[in-house]
């Protein structure tokens, strides 16, 4: 196992900090929403009283800080290292919900948290080093190589087919349509975000990168991709169960992002087969923990409710529009 580079260490610190802030933000906002719902209409009923609640704004500020840290992490470490660490936000959210909101964490939920930590640690210890990039033009060269151009073309063709053919026909009955659009566009978003983050990092070090048109093209791509992702992620959340969307979106988004990074930045070119296999095992371990945590997230409270009701929100079918599908206690349906 190679020693971690200083840039990777900085990236890990920023990514973990991002997960702490984002995971905490959901709990802080939920606390604000609960307080606002006591004195007025709840957000789920169309109320906007939470806008006057300091707790909700504290949660928004916390989330913004977390996303900024996540953005900065891509300037230092490869996407294959930063993106999977987003699962840690689920742990912080679940643990804080257990102690602050009294949403009990089931034993299998605790096991899911442990799996996420083990998987994240495995990836951190075996992640490839970040390339030495001295100009945004170097990133542009990587983005315009035949391999990544082919990947981008395939993504755009599939996304256009999903938007114009499958979404009108199957969007409201098949979750994979919305999640597929968000995940595919998300992989291009992360590559462009990484380019912009590198440009900002180099500019702060005294080498202005925004005098090159390449940096502005990456900014335009980030803007367009983010707008598309927000639009279709909102549609997904409005039609399907959040508890199902979150892990599926995380799996697809992370998988496509790692694939895009592998093609564009050639993250695995300098690694042995054993290192790559170890990283993949770490990734699968995180996915297992994520699914287990989401699958059992309501089990801790089910015992006390078992006698009073015969149905629970998690009994709602996944593929129909239902009021129970919109939950304010989601776990990081983030774009990056």
């Amino acid at each position: 196992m190679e020693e971690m580079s200083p840039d990777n260490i900085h990236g890990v610190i920023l990514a973990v900090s991002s997960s702490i802030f984002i995971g905490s933000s959901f709990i802080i906002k939920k606390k604000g929403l609960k307080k606002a719902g006591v004195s007025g209409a709840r957000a789920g009923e169309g109320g906007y009283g939470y806008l006057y609640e300091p707790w909700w704004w504290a949660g928004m500020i916390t989330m913004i800080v977390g996303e900024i840290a996540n953005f900065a992490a891509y300037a230092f470490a490869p996407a294959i290292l930063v993106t999977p660490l987003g699962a840690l936000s689920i742990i912080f959210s679940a643990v804080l919900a257990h102690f602050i909101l009294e949403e009990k964490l089931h034993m299998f939920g605790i096991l899911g948290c442990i799996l996420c930590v083990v998987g994240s640690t495995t990836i951190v210890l075996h992640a490839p080093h970040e390339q030495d990039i001295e100009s945004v033009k170097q990133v542009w060269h990587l983005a315009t190589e035949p391999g990544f151009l082919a990947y981008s073309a395939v993504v755009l063709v599939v996304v256009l087919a999903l938007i114009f053919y499958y979404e009108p026909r199957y969007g409201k009955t098949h979750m994979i349509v919305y999640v597929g659009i968000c995940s595919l566009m998300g992989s291009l978003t992360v590559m462009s975000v990484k380019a912009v983050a590198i440009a900002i990092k180099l500019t702060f070090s005294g080498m202005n990168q925004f005098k090159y048109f390449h940096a502005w093209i990456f900014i335009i791509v980030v803007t367009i991709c983010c707008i598309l992702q927000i639009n279709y992620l909102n549609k997904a959340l409005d039609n399907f169960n959040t508890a199902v969307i979150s892990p599926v979106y995380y799996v697809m988004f992370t998988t496509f992002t790692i694939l895009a990074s592998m093609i564009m930045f050639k993250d695995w070119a300098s690694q042995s087969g054993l290192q790559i296999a170890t990283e993949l095992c770490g990734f699968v371990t995180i996915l297992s923990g994520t699914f287990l945590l989401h699958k059992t997230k309501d089990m801790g409270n089910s015992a006390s409710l078992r006698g009073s009701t015969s149905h629970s929100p998690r009994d709602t079918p996944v593929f129909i529009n239902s009021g129970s599908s919109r939950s304010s206690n989601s776990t990081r349906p983030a774009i990056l």
Side-chain angles (χ1 to χ4, degrees):
M1 181 182 68
E2 297 180 11
E3 184 179 352
M4 286 186 66
S5 67
D7 277 351
N8 275 16
I9 293 174
H10 293 151
V12 168
I13 292 173
L14 287 167
V16 173
S17 299
S18 168
S19 293
I20 294 173
F21 280 112
I22 291 175
S24 303
S25 72
F26 287 114
I27 306 306
I28 298 172
K29 286 199 296 181
K30 179 73 176 285
K31 192 173 180 66
L33 290 170
K34 281 188 170 183
K35 292 189 69 175
V38 172
S39 56
R42 298 177 58 184
E45 299 170 350
Y48 294 96
Y50 61 86
L51 294 176
Y52 301 97
E53 178 54 53
W55 277 103
W56 187 85
W57 283 106
M60 279 299 298
I61 293 171
T62 304
M63 175 174 282
I64 291 171
V65 172
E67 291 295 353
I68 291 173
N70 189 53
F71 179 89
Y74 284 107
F76 293 96
I80 193 174
L81 171 59
V82 175
T83 305
L85 291 180
L88 295 179
S89 66
I90 300 172
I91 297 176
F92 293 111
S93 180
V95 172
L96 288 176
H98 177 84
F99 291 104
I100 297 177
L101 300 178
E102 297 182 354
E103 296 176 356
K104 301 303 180 184
L105 191 60
H106 191 267
M107 178 181 66
F108 289 117
I110 296 174
L111 178 59
C113 291
I114 294 173
L115 287 174
C116 286
V117 171
V118 171
S120 298
T121 303
T122 302
I123 290 178
V124 167
L125 294 178
H126 296 85
H129 291 175
E130 177 73 328
Q131 290 188 33
D132 291 327
I133 296 177
E134 300 178 354
S135 171
V136 71
K137 291 192 292 184
Q138 187 176 345
V139 183
W140 178 264
H141 175 72
L142 293 171
T144 53
E145 288 188 347
F148 190 72
L149 286 177
Y151 172 81
S152 300
V154 171
V155 166
L156 291 177
V157 169
V158 173
V159 167
L160 289 174
L162 289 172
I163 291 175
F164 292 107
Y165 182 81
Y166 291 98
E167 194 267 337
R169 294 170 174 80
Y170 309 109
K172 293 184 178 180
T173 57
H174 292 73
M175 175 184 65
I176 197 68
V177 174
Y178 293 134
V179 176
I181 294 171
C182 294
S183 301
L184 287 166
M185 294 305 294
S187 66
L188 299 183
T189 303
V190 170
M191 297 303 101
S192 300
V193 162
K194 185 170 180 62
V196 175
I198 290 172
I200 293 174
K201 173 188 172 184
L202 292 173
T203 299
F204 278 129
S205 67
M207 296 179 288
N208 182 18
Q209 299 299 301
F210 292 95
K211 63 183 180 182
Y212 304 118
F213 73 90
H214 314 83
W216 296 102
I217 292 179
F218 284 125
I219 290 174
I220 293 172
V221 173
V222 169
T223 303
I224 294 173
C225 290
C226 283
I227 291 173
L228 278 173
Q229 283 179 257
I230 291 171
N231 179 42
Y232 286 100
L233 184 58
N234 284 337
K235 289 185 178 183
L237 292 171
D238 193 50
N239 285 282
F240 300 99
N241 194 318
T242 306
V244 178
I245 290 174
S246 293
V248 173
Y249 177 50
Y250 172 79
V251 170
M252 292 185 64
F253 168 73
T254 305
T255 300
F256 284 123
T257 298
I258 290 176
L259 177 61
S261 181
M262 181 181 66
I263 295 172
M264 179 172 169
F265 290 98
K266 302 174 179 61
D267 291 328
W268 286 341
S270 61
Q271 291 197 293
S272 66
L274 179 59
Q275 289 175 309
I276 294 172
T278 303
E279 290 166 23
L280 289 175
C281 288
F283 179 49
V284 172
T285 303
I286 292 176
L287 298 187
S288 303
T290 302
F291 270 107
L292 187 59
L293 188 56
H294 276 283
K295 189 68 177 176
T296 62
K297 75 185 188 73
D298 293 324
M299 288 178 126
N301 297 319
S302 62
S304 60
L305 298 175
R306 193 173 298 149
S308 60
T309 178
S310 59
H311 298 284
S312 67
R314 59 194 174 93
D315 295 323
T316 305
V318 173
F319 295 119
I320 66 170
N321 188 357
S322 170
S324 65
S325 68
R326 291 181 286 275
S327 170
S328 59
N329 189 28
S330 61
T331 52
R332 199 179 190 184
I335 297 174
L336 301 179

